[in-house]
């Protein structure tokens, strides 16, 4: 898989949601419905992405494959950890 010059944008509507696109194509392949839900993309970073590149929460190979296939990669926010949900619920579940 070749390297690709990518632009990364963050969503103003959802924390930790990012959209990766090929810099040359921009948002041409991104569905309008996705852009509406994403909000006005806010630029974060432009980088040369290759399969060997380490990303914080995504596999570079998967990102490149999605961009080649669909024209974009959407990184969703991480899920809440189960133990945090248990800590949050615990006080409500204690007997009187």
């Amino acid at each position: 898989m070749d390297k690709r010059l990518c632009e990364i944008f963050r969503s103003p509507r959802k924390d930790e949601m990012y959209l990766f696109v090929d810099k040359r194509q921009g948002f041409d392949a991104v569905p309008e419905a996705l852009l509406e839900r994403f909000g006005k993309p806010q630029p974060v970073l432009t980088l040369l992405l290759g399969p060997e590149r380490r990303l914080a929460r995504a596999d570079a190979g998967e990102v490149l494959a999605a961009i080649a296939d669909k024209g974009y990669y959407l990184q969703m926010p991480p899920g809440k950890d189960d133990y945090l949900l248990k800590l949050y619920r615990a006080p409500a579940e204690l007997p009187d």
Side-chain angles (χ1 to χ4, degrees), residues 6-93:
C6 296
E7 283 190 289
I8 304 169
F9 298 87
R10 74 178 190 84
S11 170
R13 295 188 179 160
K14 186 83 169 161
D15 285 341
E16 299 187 59
M17 181 184 285
Y18 295 92
L19 185 62
F20 292 67
V21 296
D22 184 303
K23 184 166 177 66
R24 291 174 293 168
Q25 294 175 336
F27 299 106
D28 292 347
V30 181
E32 189 61 38
L34 173 59
L35 286 174
E36 286 175 19
R37 294 198 65 183
F38 191 82
K40 183 178 166 121
Q42 299 176 338
V44 174
L45 181 67
T46 300
L47 64 93
L48 185 60
L49 185 61
E52 74 287 344
R53 177 88 182 217
R54 296 195 69 189
L55 298 172
R57 289 197 344 255
D59 176 83
E62 289 178 19
V63 172
L64 288 167
I67 292 173
D69 184 46
K70 300 186 296 188
Y72 67 94
Y73 174 82
L74 180 64
Q75 179 178 302
M76 298 298 290
K80 300 286 185 206
D81 292 330
D82 287 337
Y83 76 94
L84 289 176
L85 289 174
K86 287 178 187 174
L87 287 174
Y88 177 75
R89 291 183 189 139
E93 295 172 357

